[in-house]
Amino acid sequence: MSRPPSQKEKKTYLNAVGQKLVERRGKKKYYSREEVDEAITNALVTIDWACLAYCVFLDEATFDAIHAGIDVVCDYHEMRRDALAALTEESGFLEMDLDLSWLEWPDIDLGSVFDWFDVS
């Protein structure tokens, strides 16, 4: 297993994967595991940090099913909160409803969080 990514690496990683998802699959609330894995491959980023992308771009049930299948316990909400905190430094961010998809995050300028994301 590789070392955990730094906050800066998390942001870079999520930007790379997110950009590939939108380029190839369009804007979706959530993606399938296959779509996220394909984006990881196409973004040329390490698969070792796939769980980081899973907690942002997959729904909770899919995330939990993946981890149950490999007998690894990961807390979707805790991982998601940590991953999303790497994307923004806004103070109220961590108090928001993390059950929302990445497209529904309130009070966040997605254009600055994801430089490639067109919010228009």
Side-chain angles (χ1 to χ4, degrees):
M1 184 98 187
S2 70
R3 66 170 174 74
S6 68
Q7 292 297 87
K8 183 177 180 180
E9 288 170 323
K10 288 176 188 177
K11 183 174 183 174
T12 300
Y13 189 87
L14 291 171
N15 271 311
V17 174
Q19 182 173 2
K20 290 300 180 185
L21 284 166
V22 171
E23 283 175 5
R24 293 177 175 262
R25 302 298 179 170
K27 297 175 190 175
K28 295 183 182 182
K29 287 177 71 169
Y30 299 104
Y31 297 88
S32 69
R33 179 185 184 173
E34 294 75 23
E35 290 170 330
V36 174
D37 287 343
E38 175 188 53
I40 290 168
T41 299
N42 290 323
L44 303 176
V45 294
T46 181
I47 193 71
D48 290 343
W49 296 344
C51 200
L52 180 62
Y54 291 164
C55 74
V56 173
F57 299 111
L58 297 178
D59 62 78
E60 185 175 5
T62 304
F63 178 90
D64 288 343
I66 290 168
H67 289 85
I70 59 173
D71 200 28
V72 173
V73 176
C74 289
D75 185 302
Y76 177 78
H77 297 284
E78 182 180 322
M79 290 189 71
R80 188 171 172 88
R81 185 175 291 110
D82 182 60
L84 301 180
L87 296 172
T88 183
E89 296 177 11
E90 295 184 33
S91 59
F93 179 73
L94 295 179
E95 287 81 38
M96 65 176 255
D97 180 1
L98 293 177
D99 289 332
L100 299 174
S101 86
W102 68 282
L103 289 175
E104 299 172 305
W105 299 332
D107 303 316
I108 297 174
D109 176 7
L110 289 175
S112 66
V113 173
F114 295 115
D115 296 333
W116 47 267
F117 185 76
D118 179 13
V119 293
S120 54

